[in-house]
C-alpha cells in the first residue's frame, strides 16, 4: 500500500491518502494540546503508545462485535484505516464524575455515577466543541435519529468491553471520548482513537492518574503514565 498526499493534519494525528480510494493511513504525532489548543507541548513517545493502544482496543472491540475503521498496523505510529466520513460529534461516556462533568454539575471528582452517562459535543474547534443534545444533533443535520441510536448502543457496548478490559490490568475507566465515522456504504463504525489522550485512566489501587490529565493539569511525567499504560496492555498480548 502506497502512502500518498496528506489530506488532513489535526492536533494529534495526520491522515494520508493511499493508492486505494477506500483506505487512509493515520500517522500519530507526539504533539499534545489541551483547552482547545491553548496549551501546547510534546509527550515523547505518545504517538507510538496511542497508535498501538488504539489498535489493540479496536481489535478487541471488533472481536466483541463492534465495527471499527481499523484495517492494519503498519508501523509504530502508522495504521491503515477505512476511509470514513467523520460524524461531527464527540461522544463522551462517563462512569465516575471527573473533569468538565464535575465542574458543570458541582460533583466532586471521583464520585461514582449511579448509571453510566452519555453526552455529545459538536465537533467544531471554532465554537469550542459545545455540548449538544440528541435533538440539536438531528436538527443541525449532524446525524439522523437512526444513526444516533446506533452510536448510543455502540458507545455503551464499548464501555462494557473497555471497563472490563482495563479493570483486568488494574485500571479504572473513569470516562472517555469516542468518534464515529460513516463508510462509503453508510455503515457507522468506531473511528479516531482510544488512548490516554481520550480516556481517563486511574490506577485501581492508588488512584494515580495514568492519562493526559497529567499534561492538562501539570501533574508531572506524562511520558511515564503513557508508558505505564502500554506496559500493562503489553502484558495482555
Ligand atoms: P471532559 O471531562 O474534559 O469533558 O473530558 C471527558 C473525556 O473526554 C476525558 O476522558 C478526556 C476526553 N476528551 C477528549 O478526548 N478530547 C477533548 O477535547 C476533551 C475536552 C476531552
Ligand atoms: N483536544 C483538546 C484540545 O483541543 C485537548 C484535550 O483536552 O484533550 O487541545
Amino acid at each position: 500500500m502506497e502512502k500518498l498526499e496528506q489530506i488532513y493534519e489535526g492536533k494529534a494525528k495526520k491522515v494520508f491518502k493511499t493508492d486505494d480510494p477506500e483506505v487512509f493511513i493515520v500517522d500519530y504525532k507526539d504533539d499534545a494540546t489541551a483547552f482547545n489548543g491553548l496549551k501546547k507541548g510534546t509527550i515523547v513517545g505518545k504517538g507510538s503508545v496511542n497508535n498501538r493502544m488504539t489498535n489493540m482496543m479496536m481489535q478487541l472491540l471488533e472481536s466483541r462485535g463492534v465495527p471499527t475503521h481499523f484495517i492494519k498496523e503498519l508501523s509504530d505510529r502508522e495504521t491503515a484505516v477505512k476511509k470514513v466520513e467523520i460524524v461531527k460529534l464527540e461522544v463522551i461516556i462517563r462512569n465516575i464524575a471527573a473533569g468538565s462533568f464535575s465542574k458543570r454539575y458541582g460533583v466532586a471528582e471521583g464520585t461514582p455515577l449511579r448509571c453510566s452517562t452519555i453526552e455529545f459535543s459538536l465537533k467544531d474547534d471554532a465554537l469550542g466543541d459545545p455540548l449538544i443534545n440528541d435533538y440539536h444533533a438531528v436538527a443541525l443535520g449532524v446525524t439522523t435519529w437512526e444513526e444516533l441510536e446506533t452510536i448510543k448502543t455502540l458507545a455503551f457496548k464499548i464501555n462494557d468491553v473497555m471497563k472490563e478490559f482495563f479493570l483486568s490490568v488494574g485500571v479504572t475507566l473513569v470516562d472517555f471520548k469516542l468518534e464515529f465515522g460513516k463508510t462509503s456504504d453508510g455503515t457507522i463504525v468506531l473511528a479516531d482513537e482510544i488512548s490516554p489522550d481520550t480516556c481517563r485512566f486511574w490506577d485501581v489501587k492508588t488512584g494515580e492518574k495514568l492519562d493526559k490529565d497529567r499534561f492538562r493539569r501539570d501533574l508531572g511525567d506524562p511520558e511515564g503514565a503513557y508508558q505505564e499504560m502500554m506496559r500493562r496492555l503489553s502484558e495482555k498480548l
Side-chain angles (χ1 to χ4, degrees), residues 66-120:
V66 175
T68 78
H69 74 168
F70 176 78
I71 299 176
K72 190 174 189 280
E73 190 165 290
L74 302 174
S75 73
D76 229 26
R77 286 169 190 273
E78 295 166 304
T79 295
V81 299
K82 289 176 198 154
K83 173 188 163 185
V84 297
E85 189 190 327
I86 291 287
V87 177
K88 297 282 176 205
L89 284 179
E90 301 212 336
V91 179
I92 294 154
I93 295 274
R94 300 181 191 267
N95 299 307
I96 294 173
S100 68
F101 185 97
S102 286
K103 209 167 160 190
R104 189 179 314 120
Y105 302 119
V107 190
E109 209 167 70
T111 307
L113 301 176
R114 294 188 190 175
C115 68
S116 300
T117 68
I118 191 164
E119 72 203 41
F120 306 105

Side-chain angles (χ1 to χ4, degrees), residues 13 16 21-22 27 78 94 117 124 139-140 151 166 169 172 186 193 228 231:
K13 300 186 284 296
F16 295 83
E22 291 302 320
D27 190 338
E78 295 166 304
R94 300 181 191 267
T117 68
D124 186 328
L140 291 168
I151 286 171
F166 284 109
V169 295
T172 304
E193 66 182 273
E228 174 60 15
R231 189 191 65 73

